[in-house]
Amino acid sequence: MSARWQDAVVGEDLPLLDAIARLDAAALQILIVTDAEGRLAGTLTDGDVRRAILRQLSLDSPVAEAMHRSPTTIPVGASREEAIGRMRERRLRHLPIIDEGGRPVGLDLLDEVAAPTTRPNAVVLMAGGLGTRLRPLTETTPKPLLRVGGRPLLETIVESFADHGFTRFFLSINYRADQVEAYFGDGSQLGVEVDYLREDEALGTAGALSLLPEAPTEPIVVMNGDILTRLDFGQLIDFHSRTHAELTMCVREYEMQVPYGVVEVEGERVTSLVEKPTARHFVNAGIYVLAPSLIANIRRGERLDMTDLAQRVMAGNGRLSAFPIREYWLDIGHLKDYERAQADFARYFIEADR
Protein backbone atom coordinates (compact mmCIF):
# COMPACT_ATOMS: atom_id res chain seq x y z
CA MET A 1 0.00 0.00 0.00
CA SER A 2 1.28 3.46 -0.85
CA ALA A 3 2.41 5.41 2.22
CA ARG A 4 1.30 8.64 0.56
CA TRP A 5 -2.21 7.63 -0.42
CA GLN A 6 -3.89 10.28 1.75
CA ASP A 7 -2.20 12.99 -0.33
CA ALA A 8 -4.40 11.83 -3.19
CA VAL A 9 -7.78 12.15 -1.42
CA VAL A 10 -9.96 15.10 -2.50
CA GLY A 11 -13.60 16.13 -2.18
CA GLU A 12 -15.95 15.88 -5.16
CA ASP A 13 -16.58 19.66 -5.21
CA LEU A 14 -12.92 20.55 -5.77
CA PRO A 15 -12.49 22.55 -9.04
CA LEU A 16 -10.90 20.50 -11.81
CA LEU A 17 -7.97 22.92 -12.12
CA ASP A 18 -7.13 22.44 -8.44
CA ALA A 19 -7.59 18.69 -8.81
CA ILE A 20 -5.03 18.62 -11.62
CA ALA A 21 -2.58 20.46 -9.38
CA ARG A 22 -3.20 17.89 -6.60
CA LEU A 23 -2.79 15.06 -9.10
CA ASP A 24 0.64 16.38 -10.05
CA ALA A 25 1.65 17.15 -6.46
CA ALA A 26 0.65 13.73 -5.12
CA ALA A 27 2.64 12.09 -7.95
CA LEU A 28 0.56 8.91 -7.71
CA GLN A 29 -1.20 9.36 -11.07
CA ILE A 30 -4.61 9.06 -9.40
CA LEU A 31 -6.88 11.00 -7.06
CA ILE A 32 -9.39 9.32 -4.76
CA VAL A 33 -12.57 11.42 -4.77
CA THR A 34 -14.85 11.24 -1.73
CA ASP A 35 -18.33 12.52 -0.98
CA ALA A 36 -19.40 14.61 2.01
CA GLU A 37 -19.55 11.49 4.23
CA GLY A 38 -16.05 10.38 3.24
CA ARG A 39 -17.23 7.50 1.05
CA LEU A 40 -15.60 6.76 -2.28
CA ALA A 41 -17.36 8.74 -5.02
CA GLY A 42 -14.92 8.05 -7.84
CA THR A 43 -11.34 8.41 -9.03
CA LEU A 44 -9.50 10.82 -11.28
CA THR A 45 -6.54 9.73 -13.39
CA ASP A 46 -4.52 11.29 -16.15
CA GLY A 47 -6.80 9.54 -18.61
CA ASP A 48 -9.90 11.13 -17.08
CA VAL A 49 -8.24 14.55 -17.30
CA ARG A 50 -7.36 13.97 -20.96
CA ARG A 51 -10.93 12.97 -21.76
CA ALA A 52 -12.21 16.09 -19.99
CA ILE A 53 -9.83 18.21 -22.05
CA LEU A 54 -11.00 16.58 -25.28
CA ARG A 55 -14.64 17.38 -24.48
CA GLN A 56 -13.56 20.90 -23.46
CA LEU A 57 -14.88 20.67 -19.92
CA SER A 58 -14.25 23.92 -18.06
CA LEU A 59 -11.39 23.77 -15.56
CA ASP A 60 -13.69 25.54 -13.10
CA SER A 61 -16.05 22.54 -13.10
CA PRO A 62 -16.10 20.31 -10.00
CA VAL A 63 -13.92 17.25 -10.21
CA ALA A 64 -17.09 15.15 -9.97
CA GLU A 65 -17.86 16.05 -13.60
CA ALA A 66 -14.58 14.55 -14.82
CA MET A 67 -14.03 11.62 -12.46
CA HIS A 68 -14.65 7.93 -13.12
CA ARG A 69 -17.72 7.08 -11.05
CA SER A 70 -17.39 3.28 -10.92
CA PRO A 71 -13.73 2.52 -10.23
CA THR A 72 -12.48 -0.97 -9.49
CA THR A 73 -11.63 -1.38 -5.79
CA ILE A 74 -10.41 -4.05 -3.42
CA PRO A 75 -11.61 -4.71 0.17
CA VAL A 76 -9.35 -4.06 3.13
CA GLY A 77 -7.50 -7.23 4.11
CA ALA A 78 -7.16 -8.63 0.58
CA SER A 79 -3.82 -10.30 -0.21
CA ARG A 80 -1.01 -8.80 -2.27
CA GLU A 81 -1.49 -11.55 -4.87
CA GLU A 82 -5.19 -10.72 -5.16
CA ALA A 83 -4.41 -7.04 -5.66
CA ILE A 84 -1.82 -7.76 -8.34
CA GLY A 85 -4.14 -10.20 -10.10
CA ARG A 86 -7.04 -7.77 -10.15
CA MET A 87 -4.89 -4.91 -11.49
CA ARG A 88 -3.33 -7.07 -14.19
CA GLU A 89 -6.64 -8.65 -15.19
CA ARG A 90 -8.24 -5.24 -15.67
CA ARG A 91 -5.06 -3.52 -16.86
CA LEU A 92 -5.03 -1.08 -13.94
CA ARG A 93 -2.13 0.64 -12.23
CA HIS A 94 -3.99 1.80 -9.11
CA LEU A 95 -6.47 0.08 -6.80
CA PRO A 96 -8.27 1.94 -3.99
CA ILE A 97 -8.65 -0.12 -0.80
CA ILE A 98 -12.16 0.22 0.68
CA ASP A 99 -13.56 -0.64 4.11
CA GLU A 100 -17.00 -2.13 4.77
CA GLY A 101 -18.59 1.32 4.81
CA GLY A 102 -17.26 2.22 1.35
CA ARG A 103 -14.60 4.57 2.71
CA PRO A 104 -11.08 4.55 1.25
CA VAL A 105 -8.42 3.31 3.67
CA GLY A 106 -5.47 2.89 1.32
CA LEU A 107 -4.21 2.63 -2.25
CA ASP A 108 -2.34 -0.20 -3.96
CA LEU A 109 -0.03 0.77 -6.83
CA LEU A 110 1.02 -1.86 -9.34
CA ASP A 111 4.51 -0.31 -9.60
CA GLU A 112 4.98 -0.81 -5.86
CA VAL A 113 3.53 -4.28 -5.42
CA ALA A 114 4.84 -5.87 -8.63
CA ALA A 115 8.06 -5.72 -10.61
CA PRO A 116 8.27 -2.98 -13.27
CA THR A 117 6.90 -4.00 -16.65
CA THR A 118 9.34 -4.24 -19.55
CA ARG A 119 7.65 -3.03 -22.70
CA PRO A 120 8.09 -5.11 -25.90
CA ASN A 121 7.44 -2.03 -28.05
CA ALA A 122 10.27 -0.52 -30.06
CA VAL A 123 10.86 3.24 -30.07
CA VAL A 124 11.97 5.12 -33.20
CA LEU A 125 13.50 8.54 -32.57
CA MET A 126 13.92 10.95 -35.48
CA ALA A 127 17.44 12.30 -35.09
CA GLY A 128 18.54 13.12 -38.64
CA GLY A 129 17.30 16.68 -39.21
CA LEU A 130 19.59 19.54 -40.20
CA GLY A 131 18.43 21.79 -37.37
CA THR A 132 18.68 24.88 -39.59
CA ARG A 133 16.49 26.98 -37.27
CA LEU A 134 18.95 26.40 -34.43
CA ARG A 135 22.02 27.65 -36.24
CA PRO A 136 24.76 28.49 -35.39
CA LEU A 137 24.45 25.86 -32.62
CA THR A 138 23.90 23.07 -35.16
CA GLU A 139 26.66 24.00 -37.60
CA THR A 140 29.02 21.51 -35.95
CA THR A 141 26.67 19.55 -33.66
CA PRO A 142 23.51 17.65 -34.67
CA LYS A 143 20.44 18.96 -32.88
CA PRO A 144 19.80 15.76 -30.83
CA LEU A 145 23.26 16.14 -29.26
CA LEU A 146 22.76 19.75 -28.17
CA ARG A 147 23.09 19.85 -24.40
CA VAL A 148 20.07 20.63 -22.26
CA GLY A 149 20.62 20.45 -18.52
CA GLY A 150 24.23 19.40 -19.07
CA ARG A 151 23.58 16.38 -21.29
CA PRO A 152 22.42 15.71 -24.87
CA LEU A 153 18.72 16.20 -25.46
CA LEU A 154 18.43 12.76 -27.05
CA GLU A 155 19.92 11.11 -23.97
CA THR A 156 17.18 12.62 -21.82
CA ILE A 157 14.57 11.31 -24.27
CA VAL A 158 16.01 7.77 -24.23
CA GLU A 159 16.20 7.74 -20.44
CA SER A 160 12.61 8.98 -20.18
CA PHE A 161 11.44 6.02 -22.26
CA ALA A 162 13.66 3.61 -20.31
CA ASP A 163 12.06 4.81 -17.08
CA HIS A 164 8.75 3.51 -18.44
CA GLY A 165 10.08 0.08 -19.40
CA PHE A 166 11.16 0.65 -23.02
CA THR A 167 14.50 -0.95 -23.91
CA ARG A 168 14.60 -1.23 -27.74
CA PHE A 169 15.48 1.90 -29.72
CA PHE A 170 16.09 2.82 -33.34
CA LEU A 171 17.66 6.20 -34.09
CA SER A 172 16.92 7.57 -37.56
CA ILE A 173 20.06 9.49 -38.53
CA ASN A 174 21.40 11.53 -41.44
CA TYR A 175 23.03 14.87 -40.61
CA ARG A 176 26.32 14.32 -38.75
CA ALA A 177 25.25 10.74 -38.14
CA ASP A 178 28.74 9.69 -37.07
CA GLN A 179 28.51 11.91 -33.97
CA VAL A 180 25.21 10.37 -32.90
CA GLU A 181 26.55 6.82 -33.38
CA ALA A 182 29.77 7.62 -31.54
CA TYR A 183 27.86 8.95 -28.54
CA PHE A 184 25.18 6.28 -28.14
CA GLY A 185 26.96 3.23 -29.55
CA ASP A 186 24.87 0.13 -28.96
CA GLY A 187 23.06 1.76 -26.03
CA SER A 188 24.59 -0.50 -23.38
CA GLN A 189 25.91 2.46 -21.38
CA LEU A 190 22.28 3.51 -20.85
CA GLY A 191 21.05 -0.02 -20.20
CA VAL A 192 19.12 -0.22 -23.50
CA GLU A 193 19.60 -1.58 -27.03
CA VAL A 194 20.19 0.95 -29.81
CA ASP A 195 20.30 0.39 -33.57
CA TYR A 196 20.33 2.91 -36.40
CA LEU A 197 18.19 3.68 -39.42
CA ARG A 198 20.59 5.39 -41.83
CA GLU A 199 18.86 7.73 -44.26
CA ASP A 200 21.02 8.38 -47.33
CA GLU A 201 18.38 10.94 -48.23
CA ALA A 202 15.61 12.43 -46.14
CA LEU A 203 12.63 10.04 -46.08
CA GLY A 204 10.37 11.92 -43.69
CA THR A 205 9.09 10.95 -40.26
CA ALA A 206 7.10 7.97 -41.61
CA GLY A 207 9.26 6.99 -44.58
CA ALA A 208 12.21 6.22 -42.31
CA LEU A 209 10.18 3.35 -40.81
CA SER A 210 10.61 1.45 -44.07
CA LEU A 211 14.26 0.99 -43.05
CA LEU A 212 13.41 -1.08 -39.97
CA PRO A 213 15.37 -4.35 -40.22
CA GLU A 214 12.31 -6.49 -39.53
CA ALA A 215 8.57 -6.04 -39.42
CA PRO A 216 7.39 -5.20 -35.87
CA THR A 217 4.86 -7.44 -34.18
CA GLU A 218 3.89 -4.87 -31.54
CA PRO A 219 2.87 -1.21 -31.88
CA ILE A 220 5.87 1.11 -32.06
CA VAL A 221 6.35 4.63 -30.75
CA VAL A 222 7.74 7.29 -33.08
CA MET A 223 8.92 10.62 -31.71
CA ASN A 224 10.75 13.64 -33.03
CA GLY A 225 14.20 13.88 -31.49
CA ASP A 226 13.85 17.53 -30.50
CA ILE A 227 11.02 17.22 -27.97
CA LEU A 228 11.41 17.58 -24.23
CA THR A 229 8.48 16.09 -22.32
CA ARG A 230 7.42 14.38 -19.10
CA LEU A 231 4.80 12.30 -20.92
CA ASP A 232 4.05 8.87 -19.45
CA PHE A 233 4.88 6.73 -22.50
CA GLY A 234 3.46 3.61 -20.88
CA GLN A 235 0.07 5.27 -20.61
CA LEU A 236 0.36 6.26 -24.26
CA ILE A 237 0.89 2.66 -25.37
CA ASP A 238 -1.97 1.45 -23.15
CA PHE A 239 -4.27 4.12 -24.61
CA HIS A 240 -3.36 3.08 -28.17
CA SER A 241 -4.14 -0.56 -27.44
CA ARG A 242 -7.37 0.28 -25.63
CA THR A 243 -8.71 2.35 -28.55
CA HIS A 244 -7.70 -0.26 -31.18
CA ALA A 245 -6.18 2.52 -33.29
CA GLU A 246 -4.08 2.13 -36.41
CA LEU A 247 -2.36 5.38 -35.54
CA THR A 248 -2.37 7.41 -32.34
CA MET A 249 -1.26 11.03 -32.52
CA CYS A 250 -0.32 12.97 -29.42
CA VAL A 251 -1.87 16.43 -29.39
CA ARG A 252 -1.32 19.54 -27.32
CA GLU A 253 -3.84 22.30 -26.65
CA TYR A 254 -2.60 25.58 -28.10
CA GLU A 255 -4.07 29.02 -27.46
CA MET A 256 -3.94 31.99 -29.80
CA GLN A 257 -5.26 35.41 -28.81
CA VAL A 258 -6.44 37.75 -31.53
CA PRO A 259 -4.89 41.15 -30.68
CA TYR A 260 -7.98 43.05 -31.87
CA GLY A 261 -11.69 43.13 -31.28
CA VAL A 262 -13.31 40.59 -33.64
CA VAL A 263 -16.39 41.84 -35.49
CA GLU A 264 -18.86 39.50 -37.18
CA VAL A 265 -21.19 40.94 -39.78
CA GLU A 266 -24.09 39.94 -41.98
CA GLY A 267 -24.19 42.34 -44.90
CA GLU A 268 -23.92 45.78 -43.32
CA ARG A 269 -25.21 44.69 -39.90
CA VAL A 270 -22.84 43.92 -37.03
CA THR A 271 -24.01 40.73 -35.30
CA SER A 272 -21.24 40.18 -32.78
CA LEU A 273 -18.30 42.00 -31.24
CA VAL A 274 -15.77 40.13 -29.10
CA GLU A 275 -12.77 41.95 -27.66
CA LYS A 276 -9.47 40.12 -28.22
CA PRO A 277 -10.88 36.57 -28.15
CA THR A 278 -8.75 33.50 -27.49
CA ALA A 279 -8.98 30.56 -29.88
CA ARG A 280 -8.02 27.08 -28.68
CA HIS A 281 -6.89 24.28 -30.96
CA PHE A 282 -5.23 20.91 -30.64
CA VAL A 283 -1.87 20.80 -32.43
CA ASN A 284 0.30 17.88 -33.48
CA ALA A 285 2.81 17.17 -30.68
CA GLY A 286 5.24 15.09 -32.77
CA ILE A 287 4.74 11.79 -30.89
CA TYR A 288 2.93 8.80 -32.43
CA VAL A 289 2.08 5.14 -31.94
CA LEU A 290 1.67 2.96 -35.03
CA ALA A 291 0.11 -0.46 -35.42
CA PRO A 292 2.34 -3.07 -37.14
CA SER A 293 -0.15 -3.36 -40.02
CA LEU A 294 0.25 0.33 -40.79
CA ILE A 295 4.03 0.11 -40.97
CA ALA A 296 3.80 -2.83 -43.36
CA ASN A 297 2.12 -0.56 -45.93
CA ILE A 298 5.04 1.90 -46.09
CA ARG A 299 7.11 1.16 -49.20
CA ARG A 300 10.86 0.92 -48.69
CA GLY A 301 12.57 4.19 -49.56
CA GLU A 302 9.24 6.04 -49.85
CA ARG A 303 9.34 9.74 -48.92
CA LEU A 304 6.51 10.08 -46.41
CA ASP A 305 5.78 12.35 -43.44
CA MET A 306 3.67 11.23 -40.52
CA THR A 307 0.98 13.77 -41.38
CA ASP A 308 0.71 12.19 -44.85
CA LEU A 309 0.34 8.78 -43.24
CA ALA A 310 -2.39 10.15 -40.98
CA GLN A 311 -4.24 11.40 -44.05
CA ARG A 312 -4.02 7.92 -45.54
CA VAL A 313 -5.52 6.39 -42.40
CA MET A 314 -8.44 8.81 -42.43
CA ALA A 315 -8.99 8.42 -46.19
CA GLY A 316 -9.20 4.65 -45.70
CA ASN A 317 -11.67 5.01 -42.81
CA GLY A 318 -9.05 3.70 -40.39
CA ARG A 319 -8.98 4.64 -36.73
CA LEU A 320 -6.83 7.64 -35.89
CA SER A 321 -6.85 8.42 -32.16
CA ALA A 322 -5.82 11.61 -30.38
CA PHE A 323 -3.92 11.42 -27.07
CA PRO A 324 -3.85 14.84 -25.38
CA ILE A 325 -0.65 15.72 -23.55
CA ARG A 326 -1.23 17.59 -20.31
CA GLU A 327 2.28 17.04 -18.95
CA TYR A 328 5.25 19.28 -19.66
CA TRP A 329 6.05 19.39 -23.40
CA LEU A 330 8.38 21.59 -25.43
CA ASP A 331 9.30 21.45 -29.11
CA ILE A 332 12.86 22.78 -29.36
CA GLY A 333 12.63 24.23 -32.85
CA HIS A 334 14.10 27.71 -32.41
CA LEU A 335 16.81 29.35 -30.34
CA LYS A 336 14.25 30.83 -27.95
CA ASP A 337 12.89 27.31 -27.33
CA TYR A 338 16.41 26.06 -26.61
CA GLU A 339 16.90 28.83 -24.09
CA ARG A 340 13.56 27.99 -22.46
CA ALA A 341 14.52 24.31 -22.28
CA GLN A 342 17.66 25.21 -20.35
CA ALA A 343 15.57 27.19 -17.86
CA ASP A 344 12.87 24.49 -17.56
CA PHE A 345 15.13 21.46 -17.19
CA ALA A 346 15.91 21.76 -13.48
CA ARG A 347 12.24 22.20 -12.59
CA TYR A 348 10.77 19.41 -14.71
CA PHE A 349 13.59 16.86 -14.92
CA ILE A 350 15.62 17.23 -11.72
CA GLU A 351 13.30 18.52 -9.02
CA ALA A 352 10.44 16.32 -10.33
CA ASP A 353 12.58 13.18 -9.85
CA ARG A 354 13.53 13.91 -6.24
Side-chain angles (χ1 to χ4, degrees):
M1 181 175 71
S2 173
R4 298 177 291 113
W5 72 272
Q6 289 176 313
D7 295 340
V9 178
V10 300
E12 58 186 346
D13 294 329
L14 186 72
L16 181 57
L17 181 62
D18 294 337
I20 292 173
R22 285 287 297 274
L23 187 63
D24 291 336
L28 295 174
Q29 300 179 338
I30 190 172
L31 291 182
I32 299 172
V33 185
T34 58
D35 62 19
E37 284 73 41
R39 293 187 296 266
L40 180 69
T43 56
L44 186 82
T45 65
D46 285 338
D48 298 315
V49 172
R50 295 181 210 282
R51 284 184 284 274
I53 292 172
L54 284 175
R55 57 189 176 95
Q56 299 183 327
L57 183 67
S58 170
L59 296 180
D60 294 325
S61 303
V63 67
E65 294 187 19
M67 70 182 185
H68 177 47
R69 294 181 176 274
S70 301
T72 299
T73 62
I74 196 166
V76 64
S79 68
R80 171 179 174 273
E81 290 72 21
E82 185 178 352
I84 293 174
R86 187 167 299 188
M87 283 189 277
R88 285 182 169 165
E89 177 188 359
R90 305 192 184 186
R91 304 181 70 177
L92 301 173
R93 302 175 68 179
H94 326 85
L95 197 61
I97 305 170
I98 304 300
D99 67 13
E100 293 181 355
R103 294 175 175 82
V105 295
L107 177 68
D108 278 335
L109 304 178
L110 185 60
D111 290 344
E112 292 185 2
V113 299
T117 300
T118 298
R119 299 276 178 175
N121 314 85
V123 178
V124 178
L125 300 174
M126 297 298 162
L130 297 176
T132 53
R133 295 175 297 176
L134 282 171
R135 288 178 179 172
L137 298 178
T138 53
E139 289 179 351
T140 58
T141 303
K143 181 163 59 172
L145 292 188
L146 291 178
R147 290 186 173 268
V148 176
R151 58 183 176 180
L153 169 62
L154 194 59
E155 182 177 345
T156 295
I157 294 173
V158 170
E159 289 187 346
S160 294
F161 274 100
D163 288 344
H164 291 100
F166 296 84
T167 61
R168 187 78 172 97
F169 294 84
F170 293 93
L171 307 185
S172 178
I173 53 177
N174 179 269
Y175 177 65
R176 300 195 176 275
D178 56 326
Q179 293 187 32
V180 178
E181 289 194 59
Y183 188 87
F184 287 97
D186 62 2
S188 56
Q189 63 180 356
L190 297 176
V192 299
E193 184 179 352
V194 173
D195 281 304
Y196 299 89
L197 307 179
R198 299 172 179 84
E199 297 184 59
D200 295 329
E201 58 183 34
L203 296 177
T205 48
L209 302 180
S210 69
L211 303 180
L212 287 168
E214 56 187 28
T217 58
E218 298 284 343
I220 68 168
V221 183
V222 179
M223 175 170 159
N224 295 342
D226 56 0
I227 293 173
L228 198 59
T229 182
R230 291 293 295 186
L231 175 64
D232 186 326
F233 298 105
Q235 286 191 2
L236 172 60
I237 282 287
D238 293 342
F239 172 88
H240 174 85
S241 299
R242 193 165 58 247
T243 59
H244 305 288
E246 286 184 75
L247 174 63
T248 295
M249 175 185 293
C250 289
V251 297
R252 181 78 170 180
E253 192 171 39
Y254 183 76
E255 293 186 357
M256 297 181 296
Q257 185 174 38
V258 179
Y260 308 101
V262 173
V263 181
E264 295 183 3
V265 300
E266 290 181 3
E268 298 177 349
R269 180 172 175 267
V270 175
T271 60
S272 175
L273 176 60
V274 181
E275 185 64 26
K276 298 180 180 179
T278 297
R280 293 178 175 84
H281 303 279
F282 286 113
V283 298
N284 184 354
I287 308 171
Y288 314 87
V289 183
L290 289 77
S293 58
L294 190 59
I295 299 169
N297 291 326
I298 301 174
R299 298 187 300 275
R300 186 171 181 82
E302 177 183 11
R303 175 71 171 83
L304 187 68
D305 283 324
M306 200 64 70
T307 49
D308 300 322
L309 186 61
Q311 294 287 354
R312 284 186 185 179
V313 171
M314 291 186 289
N317 293 320
R319 184 171 181 86
L320 173 61
S321 293
F323 184 83
I325 297 177
R326 69 167 193 85
E327 299 90 342
Y328 175 81
W329 174 91
L330 179 65
D331 176 8
I332 306 176
H334 298 84
L335 287 172
K336 64 177 182 179
D337 302 318
Y338 182 68
E339 294 169 358
R340 178 182 167 187
Q342 300 289 2
D344 288 351
F345 191 85
R347 176 182 178 187
Y348 292 102
F349 291 86
I350 297 178
E351 294 178 6
D353 289 333
R354 288 177 180 169

